[in-house]
């Protein structure tokens, strides 16, 4: 009889570059939240690019252009990436070009593990089920962070996902300190909105008037969509295409 | 009238290399705790080295040799660095040579800021007072971490020190997420021993039978000693000498 080694779980407070199996990338404010919502509202796929130039070079007829720089919409784009605004987009069946600094930076650092999913509060149930179904040896929850530093919102969401996975996997010991730390934050923030409110990303959005984003970003398991990074080999290395994963 | 810029406060979950003003280095299990206790018990100074070879090369008559590797005493050394054992050392007026992996690694990364102090639960009151007295522009609390990853024990102690400093400085906003995260852990662990118990470093020490270390490491403000890194220019770059700071 072959004995299977137990599934490993790790939480990284910032993205690392040593993943092989499955990564859940968490960028609560806002990319994970917005992309989950866009796909949940029927968009065919979301193509993430670091700059408007890269996005515009790949533009095809019918594409919807969304972009932000430090929270604000990009000039000439359809509009920004605020979750509160995304609900108004008629994106059904269409391709979204999505420009953001933070997610592409994290994706570049992470490289190409076997499976890369976007996770956040909004798809907590679905993304953890998908991870358990796809991973073979290790589930890594990687926080995108904010301005290259640890982010309170991402760390809390990572703890939220980790706690579900710990329960599903029946893990008890052998958790790394970063995993325990992220899960401990759940006790400190029984209402995740409070953490988003305090976070640097949340403070920036509040100053810009996007307070509703914080509430929308913390609706637990509101959506069942799991954005999965597609194998883009052949395409430009600076483009990251996400489609809904189907069990 | 000259307007003074407010004192900045930061918490780094792992040591960085961009400090200029004042750093409180936190390595709860065990270097910060043990060195505070050694100096509190009357040792003249503690010289930290990464290897036994480096320590033995600087040995003088009367020196006491302490050393550990992954929690266990080094062969041929007086004994290990367990706080529970340190109380038996007759170190009064003597120089201690202290071998440890973790602290020298953190110290090498940090470089030489204007002031470097060791902080932990045991000297919380004293080290925060010293920091407020010495710093001019910025107080950085740097966690040493464990095995090059974030450590639960260090992060909690950093939050404990940060909370006192936030109160003293009257800071409200402009705290980085890592600072908020460390302070939030205090709510999750009203008893710091619970965090040490869960931490990777604590689990290692428990397996080795050093359970008492965890209790000794969490006695809040038990000691009033503040170990301060001396200017070692001229000496070997791999030796780090700590003496008690006097106000």
């Amino acid at each position: 009889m072959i004995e299977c080694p137990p599934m490993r779980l790790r939480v990284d407070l910032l993205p690392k570059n040593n993943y092989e199996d499955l990564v859940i990338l968490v960028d609560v404010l806002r990319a994970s939240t917005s992309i989950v919502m866009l796909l949940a509202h029927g968009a065919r796929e979301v193509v993430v690019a670091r700059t408007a130039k890269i996005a515009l070079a790949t533009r095809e007829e019918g594409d919807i252009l969304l972009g932000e720089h430090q929270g604000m919409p990009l000039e000439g784009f359809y509009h920004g990436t605020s979750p509160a605004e995304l609900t108004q987009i008629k994106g059904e069946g269409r391709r979204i070009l999505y420009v953001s600094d933070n997610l592409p930076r994290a994706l570049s650092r992470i490289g190409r593990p076997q499976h890369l999913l976007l996770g956040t509060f909004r798809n907590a149930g679905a993304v953890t089920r998908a991870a358990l179904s796809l991973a073979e040896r290790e589930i890594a929850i990687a926080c995108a962070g904010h301005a290259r530093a640890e982010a309170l919102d991402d760390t809390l969401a990572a703890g939220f996902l980790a706690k579900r996975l710990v329960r599903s996997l029946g893990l008890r010991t052998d958790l790394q300190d970063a995993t325990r730390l992220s899960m401990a934050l759940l006790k400190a923030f029984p209402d995740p909105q409070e953490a988003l409110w305090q976070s640097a990303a949340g403070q920036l959005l509040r100053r810009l008037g996007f307070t509703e984003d914080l509430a929308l970003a913390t609706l637990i398991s509101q959506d069942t969509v799991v954005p999965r990074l597609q194998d883009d080999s052949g395409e430009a290395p600076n483009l990251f295409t996400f489609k809904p994963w189907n069990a």
Side-chain angles (χ1 to χ4, degrees), chain A:
Chain A
M1 189 182 121
I2 300 169
E3 202 165 318
C4 292
M7 183 77 75
R8 293 191 307 273
L9 173 69
R10 67 191 251 208
V11 169
D12 292 323
L13 307 187
L14 287 171
K16 298 248 162 75
N17 61 358
N18 59 348
Y19 304 104
E20 286 183 5
D21 192 5
L22 186 139
V23 176
I24 302 176
L25 178 55
V26 177
D27 184 13
V28 177
L29 295 175
R30 305 162 162 154
S32 291
T33 302
S34 299
I35 294 170
V36 164
M37 288 177 69
L38 286 163
L39 293 175
H41 280 82
R44 193 175 78 235
E45 60 188 76
V46 178
V47 179
V48 180
R50 185 176 291 179
T51 65
K53 197 176 163 191
I54 296 170
L56 291 171
T58 189
R59 183 182 196 173
E60 294 166 11
E61 208 185 312
D63 285 351
I64 295 181
L65 281 168
L66 305 180
E68 68 168 328
H69 181 66
Q70 302 192 334
M72 291 303 285
L74 287 175
E75 204 178 332
F77 272 51
Y78 186 83
H79 59 51
T81 62
S82 162
E85 294 176 347
L86 296 182
T87 50
Q88 302 154 23
I89 293 184
K90 306 275 175 267
E92 199 138 343
R94 293 169 75 182
R95 190 169 85 139
I96 314 277
L97 302 180
Y98 185 106
V99 177
S100 157
D101 302 330
N102 211 41
L103 199 69
R105 191 190 296 138
L107 288 165
S108 299
R109 168 113 178 112
I110 287 172
R112 292 293 168 120
Q114 202 64 34
H115 312 280
L116 191 141
L117 313 174
L118 295 185
T120 180
F121 295 106
R122 281 191 76 106
N123 71 344
V127 78
T128 50
R129 280 192 300 276
L132 291 167
S133 153
L134 290 167
E136 291 185 359
R137 301 175 307 281
E138 183 183 79
I139 298 174
I141 306 173
C143 300
H146 179 75
R148 296 166 202 261
E150 298 87 357
L152 196 53
D153 48 333
D154 294 348
T155 308
L156 183 70
F160 191 83
L161 301 179
K163 193 162 186 184
R164 287 176 171 243
L165 290 167
V166 164
R167 213 181 294 135
S168 299
L169 292 166
L171 299 175
R172 292 209 144 265
T173 53
D174 277 340
L175 297 176
Q176 291 166 325
D177 281 20
T179 310
R180 293 183 187 276
L181 187 158
S182 68
M183 294 196 301
L185 280 187
L186 297 169
K187 283 193 201 160
F189 295 107
D191 176 1
Q193 254 192 89
E194 176 59 29
L196 271 60
W197 196 264
Q198 286 188 21
S199 71
Q203 289 188 42
L204 172 66
L205 293 177
R206 282 161 53 205
R207 277 198 300 276
L208 299 172
F210 294 114
T211 308
E212 201 186 339
D213 285 5
L214 279 53
L216 288 171
T218 49
L219 292 175
I220 309 288
S221 298
Q222 174 82 2
D223 300 314
T224 54
V225 166
V226 180
R228 185 182 184 190
L229 183 63
Q230 305 299 301
D231 188 0
D232 276 318
S233 50
E235 276 200 65
N238 302 326
L239 290 175
F240 304 91
T241 302
F242 288 92
K243 291 185 183 175
W245 176 74
N246 295 306

